[in-house]
Amino acid sequence: MSALVEEPEVAEQSDVLAVRGLTVSVRDKVLVEDVDLTVGPGERVGLIGESGSGKSLTALSVLGLLPEDVHAKGSVRLAGIDHDLIGADERQLARIRGRDLAMVFQEPMTALNPTMRVGDQIAEAMLIHRTVPNRRAARTAATALLDRVQLPGVARAYPHQLSGGQRQRVVVAIALANDPALLICDEPTTALDVTVQAMVLDLILQGVAARESALLFITHDLAVVATICQRVLVMYGGRVVESGPVHEVFTNPRHRYTEGLLAASDLDSAAHRLPTIPGNVPAAGNFPTGCVFRTRCAHATDICTTTPPWTGSASSGFACHHPAPDLVALETRRSSREVADD
Amino acid sequence: MTEPAIQVTDLVRDYPRPRTSLLRASPPVHALRGVSLEVQEGERFGIVGESGCGKSTLLRIIAALDRATSGQVVVEGTDITRLPERRLRFLRENLQLVFQDPMSSLDPRMRVRDIIAEPLVVQGHPASGERVRELLDAVGLSADAGDRYPHQFSGGQRQRISIARALAPRPRILIADEPVSALDVSVRAQVLNLISDLVDELNLTLIFVSHDLSVVKHVCSRVAVMNAGQIVETGPTADVYAAPTHPYTRRLVSAIPTLQRALSGATTTDLVKGVLST
């Protein structure tokens, strides 16, 4: 994809977020390569991948929060912002972060300020962006937000007085305080117990739905993505290997990695032994050239040393030289043959 | 029936809390409040519960790394609750642990072969290179892995090293405390298969602790569900999963998002409803 060629591309009005040809590298190592990603208004998109797949780096590049000496190339456009987020300076980004674009991180204790009451932290998010007229209005709004995440009366508490799930709900309240156009969640429930996870996920969905915000949800948990997202992108080795509607990708995976991942995580229907993907996930930046999955793939051949082309449309497709059979197509063909036999 | 491999009777563990008032002592934390269970020889027994329910405390007391406030733990016919440290050698040989985080449970400054040989050396056995190679082979690592250091391995391989170390003194009981929680999904399946195979091959009794009911369901035949320092439900894993009787278990089961349920249209509201309705 010729993302590096300067073309006066008009950000499509329909997309809240449009990432084109995103490449993230540190010194000579490429960590994320040529990622395209769009999120429509009110759409809920999941980004799944294992450690080192580049899913968190993708989110951090969108927010302009990459660590020093990690560099992003490509284009990141956000609806309503007239400049590219990549290459924007800190002042421009600071105006966008927390207002148009909000993020919920995995660890709520490090995301909150331990020396500030949680109500003040929520109010601060609104005061900094001047989305409320004054301090008193901010405080009232903060209390209302805390009520919405079912934490009434904790505005004067400090983060250490709250449990993990309560803290994460405070972080969600801060993220939603300015009605962002896009909410990015990076593994928001990984550190939480399942019963708490159910509640936090539900609150995130309710908050997003009430504001008609778009959601980009990053996780390694396939079941969580299937429960809350409409569309999913599967990342491996810094590339998007497959994308499409959740139901399609999870019932009819075409990339061999997606296929293996689904089989390995299916603890319910598997008999005594689980199907596995051989080998280990390589360390970030050490994935093979060509197809990133070829060193662990049972179907790999010589052609896999070349980068597989993208098959399908921009929003639904896969990048694999030896894709798994298309179950839906097979089924249709079989049924049409049966009809012909009759 | 022969005697159970592990028998826990009415186990209580209170932790004192630091005094916050001059006038009265702080109330203690009741980590375990009367836990009783029995694990038969060769059984695969799971313990499920959320954080803070006391499952790690229970494991530590069974492994004699911690002492009970009251109650009794009998391992292979010997009451270990009142034994002094120096008479616990039989337990250290027969009962071994695999912990959650393989990075913090392996000494970063020791070579893998020394890590695996350490339990043998400590117990006064000759630690032969042959035994170490045999163990590396059993967990699916190449023989030259022994010359390297833990940081040169990925998470899944490190967990294999922990398993090899645990198996070194030829234990009869293996306790795994969240052994796959820190691993990627594609590697998790490998490690679960490995534990399963080794337990079968070596005829081990397995106690498998996890917060993830579906992992426990895959590995274990019987399960105990813990909540707030007590066991609320025990039974064959499939039954507990399919038809939980205790309200807490029902809540736990209904809150787990699964692929099947999600693909048939379950939303987070359904998950929360399950949590609230019971």
Side-chain angles (χ1 to χ4, degrees):
Chain A
M1 268 158 265
S2 58
L4 295 179
V5 179
E6 290 291 324
E7 45 183 307
E9 195 185 326
V10 187
E12 283 168 54
Q13 289 305 307
S14 56
D15 289 331
V16 172
L17 176 76
V19 177
R20 298 261 169 261
L22 178 74
T23 297
V24 179
S25 50
V26 55
R27 289 179 297 275
D28 55 335
K29 272 187 184 162
V30 178
L31 304 175
V32 172
E33 199 172 355
D34 203 12
V35 166
D36 283 3
L37 161 71
T38 54
V39 184
E43 197 185 14
R44 302 188 302 271
V45 176
L47 196 56
I48 51 174
E50 299 178 292
S51 50
S53 64
K55 55 190 194 306
S56 294
L57 280 176
T58 305
L60 292 178
S61 346
V62 171
L63 284 149
L65 289 176
L66 288 175
E68 244 174 82
D69 70 271
V70 178
H71 301 285
K73 282 187 300 189
S75 145
V76 174
R77 301 298 300 241
L78 194 66
I81 305 297
D82 56 1
H83 58 82
D84 204 308
L85 298 195
I86 297 221
D89 61 45
E90 189 55 32
R91 282 173 59 108
Q92 290 174 314
L93 285 172
R95 268 201 293 273
I96 298 167
R97 277 187 219 128
R99 196 188 65 189
D100 306 291
L101 192 58
M103 175 117 179
V104 176
F105 293 94
Q106 177 174 349
E107 192 35 74
M109 199 59 211
T110 50
L112 293 172
N113 181 345
T115 65
M116 230 174 132
R117 298 181 194 275
V118 296
D120 293 343
Q121 299 194 42
I122 301 174
E124 187 188 38
M126 291 177 277
L127 287 168
I128 285 176
H129 291 291
R130 303 214 180 87
T131 50
V132 285
N134 55 44
R135 206 160 272 281
R136 183 182 298 171
R139 204 162 291 157
T140 319
T143 315
L145 277 163
L146 282 172
D147 286 346
R148 293 301 303 274
V149 295
Q150 296 172 32
L151 287 174
V154 304
R156 294 186 59 75
Y158 287 98
H160 77 264
Q161 296 172 304
L162 305 177
S163 70
Q166 290 173 325
R167 283 179 208 149
Q168 197 61 295
R169 275 139 70 191
V170 172
V171 176
V172 170
I174 294 175
L176 293 173
N178 293 322
D179 301 344
L182 175 66
L183 176 68
I184 302 180
C185 298
D186 188 359
E187 308 251 11
T189 55
T190 308
L192 306 178
D193 285 325
V194 277
T195 48
V196 183
Q197 162 174 290
M199 181 177 202
V200 172
L201 289 178
D202 194 45
L203 288 170
I204 290 176
L205 278 197
Q206 280 176 18
V208 168
R211 291 166 178 79
E212 295 178 344
S213 304
L215 176 69
L216 180 61
F217 197 96
I218 299 170
T219 181
H220 66 277
D221 192 328
L222 305 177
V224 169
V225 165
T227 311
I228 66 171
C229 293
Q230 299 156 324
R231 205 153 57 78
V232 64
L233 287 92
V234 183
M235 285 190 80
Y236 184 80
R239 288 166 191 263
V240 175
V241 293
E242 181 158 9
S243 72
V246 163
H247 200 274
E248 204 168 290
V249 172
F250 286 169
T251 53
N252 186 19
R254 303 299 308 280
H255 197 284
R256 294 294 180 180
Y257 171 66
T258 320
E259 188 190 40
L261 195 62
L262 282 165
S265 56
D266 187 4
L267 297 167
D268 283 327
S269 53
H272 197 48
R273 281 189 72 83
L274 287 168
T276 60
I277 301 178
N280 294 290
V281 185
N286 292 328
F287 286 87
T289 55
C291 175
V292 279
F293 187 55
R294 69 182 161 96
T295 45
R296 299 179 69 192
C297 183
H299 303 268
T301 54
D302 288 345
I303 195 179
C304 298
T305 51
T306 58
T307 307
W310 186 259
T311 316
S313 66
S315 62
S316 173
F318 56 92
C320 183
H321 287 298
H322 307 288
D326 187 344
L327 301 175
V328 175
L330 282 179
E331 193 55 41
T332 5
R333 214 174 306 149
R334 188 176 305 143
S335 51
S336 61
R337 200 179 303 146
E338 275 163 18
V339 172
D341 288 347
D342 289 343
Chain B
M1 201 191 252
T2 53
E3 68 180 8
I6 294 172
Q7 187 168 29
V8 174
T9 321
D10 207 19
L11 203 61
V12 174
R13 178 67 168 107
D14 296 337
Y15 289 109
R17 252 195 298 220
R19 185 179 276 267
T20 51
S21 155
L22 278 176
L23 301 175
R24 37 171 210 280
S26 296
V29 180
H30 303 290
L32 294 178
R33 302 188 291 179
V35 170
S36 301
L37 60 87
E38 239 181 55
V39 182
Q40 301 303 326
E41 203 184 310
E43 191 173 32
R44 298 158 163 232
F45 190 80
I47 300 175
V48 204
E50 298 189 292
S51 48
C53 73
K55 53 192 195 300
S56 292
T57 304
L58 176 61
L59 283 195
R60 290 175 57 82
I61 294 175
I62 291 176
L65 300 171
D66 191 8
R67 296 289 170 146
T69 307
S70 71
Q72 202 183 30
V73 179
V74 179
V75 178
E76 297 189 326
T78 315
D79 180 0
I80 61 160
T81 18
R82 302 281 168 263
L83 280 186
E85 189 66 35
R86 66 191 155 75
R87 290 187 50 201
L88 284 172
R89 209 177 116 171
F90 86 98
L91 186 74
R92 302 279 177 248
E93 283 188 25
N94 290 333
L95 183 147
Q96 284 286 321
L97 293 129
V98 174
F99 296 98
Q100 171 174 0
D101 181 2
M103 199 58 221
S104 59
S105 59
L106 300 175
D107 188 335
R109 295 189 298 179
M110 279 168 80
R111 286 182 198 276
V112 167
R113 68 171 123 79
D114 299 324
I115 290 175
I116 295 177
E118 195 177 24
L120 298 171
V121 176
V122 170
Q123 284 154 19
H125 297 292
S128 70
E130 198 182 328
R131 175 78 181 134
V132 171
R133 275 194 296 279
E134 193 182 298
L135 286 162
L136 282 172
D137 185 53
V139 297
L141 290 172
S142 62
D144 63 317
D147 297 330
R148 291 189 273 157
Y149 291 93
H151 74 263
Q152 294 171 294
F153 295 88
S154 68
Q157 289 169 316
R158 278 184 216 138
Q159 203 56 293
R160 287 169 191 267
I161 298 170
S162 307
I163 294 171
R165 174 180 62 182
L167 296 178
R170 301 182 198 278
R172 286 197 294 271
I173 301 168
L174 183 68
I175 298 186
D177 188 2
E178 305 260 14
V180 294
S181 309
L183 304 180
D184 281 320
V185 178
S186 71
V187 178
R188 180 183 72 178
Q190 295 173 7
V191 174
L192 286 178
N193 280 345
L194 175 67
I195 292 179
S196 225
D197 290 348
L198 289 170
V199 166
D200 279 349
E201 243 166 69
L202 305 173
N203 239 333
L204 300 175
T205 305
L206 176 72
I207 299 189
F208 190 102
V209 175
S210 180
H211 67 280
D212 190 339
L213 194 50
S214 37
V215 171
V216 168
K217 179 177 163 239
H218 185 77
V219 178
C220 302
S221 49
R222 216 152 60 85
V223 66
V225 181
M226 280 188 79
N227 181 31
Q230 282 171 322
I231 290 181
V232 296
E233 186 165 359
T234 319
T237 324
D239 296 356
V240 170
Y241 197 76
T245 54
H246 193 275
Y248 176 77
T249 321
R250 249 179 277 159
R251 219 155 63 211
L252 202 62
V253 171
S254 62
I256 304 172
T258 67
L259 213 49
Q260 274 86 352
R261 267 196 279 164
L263 291 176
S264 53
T267 61
T268 51
T269 321
D270 298 330
L271 298 182
V272 172
K273 235 182 263 163
V275 174
L276 298 180
S277 67
T278 46

